[in-house]
Amino acid sequence: LNQDQGDLSLKLSTKVEHAIKQAVDWGVDPSQKDLVKAQNISHNYRGLHVLNFASSLMSKIKPGVLGSAKKVADQMDEAVKEAVESHRVPQTNKHIEAVRALSMQVRTQEREVERKLGKTQRGA
């Protein structure tokens, strides 16, 4: 996954969202099956954008530095929150679920650093 893919998925999501809004403005029923399908496509693109963003953050983790992984996990969680709350991406979206799992993995890394630093301080 790279930045170009993330940018493309965001552009595609935005275009689909715009097309849906135009259709609704023209009087198409939002529950019409093609609009529902388009919304699902938009959600997948938006979720993929969040996953690409989260993956790009992994390189910012400084091994052994307390707080580094937590900061990255917080940014991941914030991106998920925005997608879910602002763009109505379902929390069950496969990409959103993958980001949540990645965030949990990163938080586990943070706890490991905390434990190692705690042992070092107690042993000193």
Side-chain angles (χ1 to χ4, degrees), residues 8-79:
L8 178 60
S9 59
L10 180 60
K11 283 181 187 176
L12 292 171
S13 175
T14 302
K15 282 184 176 188
V16 174
E17 289 168 359
H18 180 71
I20 292 168
K21 183 181 179 328
Q22 284 184 318
V24 171
D25 288 349
W26 276 90
V28 177
D29 182 355
S31 63
Q32 197 268 347
K33 72 175 189 168
D34 289 332
L35 281 189
V36 171
K37 185 176 179 180
Q39 191 66 58
N40 288 334
I41 290 169
S42 173
H43 289 160
N44 277 322
Y45 282 136
R46 182 74 59 175
L48 182 59
H49 170 69
V50 173
L51 179 58
N52 286 333
F53 172 72
S55 296
S56 73
L57 290 175
M58 293 298 289
S59 65
K60 296 182 188 248
I61 296 174
K62 298 175 182 132
V65 176
L66 187 61
S68 174
K70 180 187 181 308
K71 182 177 178 181
V72 166
D74 289 346
Q75 289 175 313
M76 290 178 185
D77 293 344
E78 188 60 36

Side-chain angles (χ1 to χ4, degrees), residues 103-115:
S103 174
M104 286 177 32
Q105 177 187 344
V106 169
R107 289 187 190 284
T108 299
Q109 289 176 354
E110 181 74 13
R111 286 191 295 277
E112 189 62 33
V113 170
E114 287 174 354
R115 277 194 291 275

